Amino acid sequence: MSVSDYTETEGLPAADRTPYKPWSYDIASAKLYIPRLAAGEDRWFAAALSDDKGKAPSRLAVFAERPQHKRWEMVSVVDLDSPHLPDIALDHDGYATAVAADGNKHLAADANLLRTAVLDNFATGGTHTGTKVFTPTTASKRQIEVHDKTGTRYGDQGSTVFAGTDNRYKDAYALKTADGGALILFSHMHTQTDAVAHFGLQINPGKEDRAWLHDVPRTSITYTFVCNDAATVPTKGAPSRLIGYTCARTDASGPPVPSWSDRA
């Protein structure tokens, strides 16, 4: 996701690039959730972070140890829709409890089902799985709105279809919450394919597409997105809550219109 930001910026004319400004998280307001892990388990922790000094956390991040790289890395970061954080269960020493994110039969949903529901929000507006797994929240409504508005923006001149794609980022992290449920942080990938309705029409890439599409008109464009998601999941018998997600476009491709293909 970070690399794609750089790629997109490098495709812009110099005049359109936003100057880079160094930034940092406010350490004083950070809330760390460090699970007590057994020997040999992969080490990780979650952090609620704010960009602004003195402000409530606005992001949830996961940091994981990467022994092969001999460092810790931020492996996920999600923009939250509300500053009210989930109530994480802490032991008498202040440690959090890590629970299984996948295949956890004590929870109403695991990371795989949550991922399926998120993809359904984009692909169908939540018709099949999304609205069954999630209770309506700002985040889940926003995903459904992306499907509803983007899918009809071309009218009878074209179409937009969302779909899941092979997910390269299957790591998921879960912390026990005070109500016995869990906070689950996971990732997903999806595509958005825009296509013209008939011969003679074309899609002109925007300037933000230049890094991948080079201003060449296309008959269809498939965008790939990588996203980080966060959800609170109860025990059996209740829907989950999507509390935030963050997406980045990481690729774009599509066939040029015939006149450009002939020229090439």
Side-chain angles (χ1 to χ4, degrees):
M1 293 172 73
S2 298
V3 169
S4 71
D5 285 340
Y6 293 125
T7 300
E8 183 176 311
T9 298
E10 289 169 356
L12 296 173
D16 292 337
R17 300 182 187 183
T18 301
Y20 176 79
K21 295 182 179 180
W23 59 273
S24 63
Y25 290 114
D26 180 30
I27 302 300
S29 64
K31 298 180 182 296
L32 304 184
Y33 302 104
I34 304 173
R36 192 188 294 276
L37 300 169
E41 289 186 301
D42 293 336
R43 296 199 296 168
W44 64 277
F45 67 90
L49 304 168
S50 174
D51 290 343
D52 299 319
K53 188 174 183 179
K55 293 291 184 67
S58 58
R59 289 176 176 165
L60 274 175
V62 173
F63 295 84
E65 187 179 34
R66 293 293 190 245
Q68 70 272 32
H69 299 158
K70 297 182 179 180
R71 66 186 182 190
W72 285 75
E73 297 178 354
M74 180 189 283
V75 295
S76 174
V77 62
V78 180
D79 293 314
L80 298 172
D81 289 310
S82 169
H84 301 294
L85 298 172
D87 191 5
I88 304 298
L90 303 176
D91 66 17
H92 63 280
D93 293 319
Y95 284 96
T97 299
V99 296
D102 289 310
N104 192 328
K105 299 185 182 301
H106 300 290
L107 299 174
D110 67 359
N112 282 327
L113 181 56
L114 295 172
R115 193 177 288 116
T116 298
V118 164
L119 290 171
D120 186 57
N121 281 345
F122 284 107
T124 74
T127 301
H128 302 306
T129 312
T131 54
K132 296 180 177 63
V133 171
F134 293 122
T135 191
T137 62
T138 299
S140 60
K141 289 177 181 178
R142 191 163 69 250
Q143 291 178 344
I144 291 171
E145 186 177 5
V146 169
H147 166 270
D148 293 345
K149 289 189 174 181
T150 306
T152 57
R153 61 180 174 160
Y154 290 127
D156 60 0
Q157 301 296 298
S159 62
T160 296
V161 175
F162 293 91
T165 188
D166 290 340
N167 183 32
R168 295 169 52 194
Y169 308 102
K170 299 178 181 179
D171 292 352
Y173 304 86
L175 294 173
K176 184 178 180 180
T177 51
D179 60 4
L183 166 67
I184 300 182
L185 299 121
F186 60 100
S187 301
H188 82 270
M189 292 177 63
H190 69 264
T191 59
Q192 171 190 325
T193 300
D194 297 346
V196 299
H198 55 78
F199 181 79
L201 298 176
Q202 66 185 41
I203 300 174
N204 297 319
K207 65 180 182 180
E208 68 277 5
D209 303 324
R210 182 172 293 158
W212 295 284
L213 301 175
H214 312 293
D215 294 330
V216 177
R218 312 279 169 158
T219 55
S220 69
I221 300 173
T222 296
Y223 300 100
T224 300
F225 295 89
V226 174
C227 307
N228 294 326
D229 309 85
T232 55
V233 180
T235 53
K236 298 289 184 179
S240 302
R241 292 177 53 84
L242 189 69
I243 62 174
Y245 74 96
T246 301
C247 291
R249 178 177 43 200
T250 59
D251 194 17
S253 62
V257 296
S259 58
W260 278 82
S261 298
D262 296 341
R263 189 180 308 177

